[in-house]
């Protein structure tokens, strides 16, 4: 989902069109596969681009795909609203994307995908700690289980190398998503979500641009790296956001959020299938704890 910039909260105010047809599980699977692939694309392109240049491409391409939605809803975006959009863009897109890209340079793609699942739990924790929402016993237990999963994951070694720092970066990114989600809910509820995504991604791209320019790779990245970076921005950021909002409009946020459970599975699967990255028992146990805790927190 991280790769999703936490779109669930952006879309909670969309009207729901009742639908229980065969399309929903297919769309959830496709969306989970796309967002899961984002960690593989980062793993391929981050070592050649570096985190800043890669994230600039991702943000810029994603914003361009969503720009028509912003233009259509431009009356909802007066000048006095742009400072909060820029702040949310930094917290909910720019910094987390950089952290995940940094982690992708140092650890298998599945590590970031598993950490990203903590976003749902961190959203509840931040809502309780800073926005006065009751967390509840079940969610409290889910948080503890999820954090145990993070500790297990941080202890993992892949090919003899520790992935602790990559896990720390991915977990911090998920925490920032939690803050960003609550800020969107507090300040931007009722604002067209796809337009909000376009504006925050655009602001984030402007914020990252100086770092991207000063850290642009000296040697030209390979064709595979360029292709992965382009797919990361266009498909995994821009098009996936549009798909997610359309899904929420049709079936509601409570059903669409199921994609959170699917993303880590696809993240690990794509990395194993296409990059040959190993799936260790430690990753499996940690992933089970984290995804299970997310499912527990969402159960009604």
């Amino acid at each position: 989902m991280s790769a999703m910039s936490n779109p669930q909260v952006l879309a909670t105010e969309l009207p729901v069109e009742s639908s229980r047809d065969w399309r929903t599980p297919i769309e959830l699977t496709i969306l989970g596969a796309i967002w899961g692939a984002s960690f593989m694309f980062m793993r391929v392109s981050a070592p050649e681009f570096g985190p800043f240049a890669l994230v600039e491409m991702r943000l810029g391409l994603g914003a361009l795909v969503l720009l028509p939605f912003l233009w259509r809803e431009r009356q909802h975006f007066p000048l006095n609203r742009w400072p909060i959009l820029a702040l949310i863009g930094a917290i909910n897109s720019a910094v987390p994307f950089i952290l995940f890209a940094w982690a992708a340079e140092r650890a298998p793609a599945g590590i970031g995908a598993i950490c990203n699942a903590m976003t749902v739990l961190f959203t509840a924790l931040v809502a309780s700690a800073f926005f006065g929402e009751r967390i509840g016993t079940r969610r409290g237990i889910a948080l503890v289980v999820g954090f145990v999963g993070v500790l297990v994951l941080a202890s993992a070694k892949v090919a003899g190398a520790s992935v602790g720092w990559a896990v720390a970066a991915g977990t911090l990114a998920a925490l920032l998503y939690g803050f960003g989600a609550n800020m969107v809910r507090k300040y931007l509820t009722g604002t067209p979500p796809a337009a909000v995504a376009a504006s925050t991604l655009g602001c984030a791209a402007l914020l990252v641009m100086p770092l991207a320019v000063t850290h642009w790779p000296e040697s030209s990245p390979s064709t595979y790296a360029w292709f992965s970076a382009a797919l990361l921005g266009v498909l995994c950021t821009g098009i996936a956001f549009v798909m997610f909002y359309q899904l929420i409009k049709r079936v509601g946020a409570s059903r669409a959020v199921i994609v959170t459970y699917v993303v880590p599975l696809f993240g690990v699967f794509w990395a194993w299938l296409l990059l040959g990255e190993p799936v260790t028992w430690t990753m499996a146990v940690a992933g089970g704890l984290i995804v299970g805790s997310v499912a527990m927190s969402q159960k009604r």
Side-chain angles (χ1 to χ4, degrees):
M1 194 179 316
S2 85
M4 356 175 193
S5 190
N6 208 21
Q8 293 96 327
V9 177
L10 295 180
T12 52
E13 297 301 315
L14 282 176
V16 177
E17 298 174 6
S18 178
S19 178
R20 293 184 179 275
D21 58 20
W22 53 269
R23 291 178 295 171
T24 300
I26 294 176
E27 290 174 352
L28 285 169
T29 301
I30 292 173
L31 191 57
I34 291 173
W35 271 330
S38 67
F39 296 94
M40 177 186 67
F41 294 141
M42 282 190 285
R43 179 65 170 162
V44 171
S45 53
E48 297 190 46
F49 278 97
F52 300 118
L54 176 61
V55 169
E56 179 63 19
M57 289 187 61
R58 179 182 186 180
L59 292 167
L61 291 172
L64 285 175
V65 172
L66 295 168
L67 186 59
F69 296 93
L70 178 58
W71 178 256
R72 187 179 64 189
E73 305 291 348
R74 60 190 182 279
Q75 70 275 12
H76 294 282
F77 295 85
L79 287 177
N80 61 2
R81 176 162 278 188
W82 283 94
I84 190 65
L85 289 168
L87 179 60
I88 292 173
I91 293 174
N92 204 43
S93 295
V95 179
F97 284 5
I98 290 170
L99 288 168
F100 275 122
W102 184 88
E105 290 184 288
R106 294 161 174 80
I111 297 295
I114 294 170
C115 290
N116 183 72
M118 287 292 293
T119 297
V120 176
L121 300 178
F122 278 132
T123 300
L125 179 62
V126 171
S128 175
F130 296 95
F131 294 90
E133 293 188 17
R134 185 175 178 273
I135 197 169
T137 302
R138 187 181 66 248
R139 282 193 172 180
I141 295 173
L143 280 166
V144 173
V145 173
F147 290 139
V148 170
V150 170
L151 292 176
V152 171
L153 188 62
S155 69
K157 288 190 175 183
V158 179
S162 174
V163 297
W165 284 110
V167 172
T171 304
L172 178 56
L175 176 60
L176 290 172
Y177 282 155
F179 276 101
N182 282 281
M183 292 177 67
V184 169
R185 181 181 294 161
K186 181 176 177 63
Y187 297 108
L188 299 175
T189 294
T191 307
V196 168
S199 61
T200 54
L201 288 174
C203 289
L206 292 176
L207 292 172
V208 175
M209 186 179 294
L211 290 170
V213 171
T214 56
H215 291 79
W216 197 262
E218 295 181 0
S219 58
S220 180
S222 66
T223 302
Y224 288 113
W226 278 106
F227 185 65
S228 295
L231 286 176
L232 182 63
V234 174
L235 177 63
C236 300
T237 306
I239 294 176
F241 269 49
V242 176
M243 291 176 60
F244 188 76
Y245 296 139
Q246 291 300 318
L247 182 63
I248 285 186
K249 184 177 180 180
R250 194 164 59 79
V251 304
S254 61
R255 294 182 68 195
V257 77
I258 294 172
V259 74
T260 306
Y261 317 142
V262 182
V263 172
L265 303 179
F266 271 107
V268 173
F269 173 74
W270 291 130
W272 168 78
L273 180 67
L274 300 177
L275 301 182
E277 293 185 347
V279 181
T280 67
W281 279 108
T282 305
M283 289 173 60
V285 171
L289 287 170
I290 292 173
V291 175
S293 67
V294 172
M296 183 191 305
S297 73
Q298 294 296 303
K299 185 178 178 181
R300 293 187 181 277

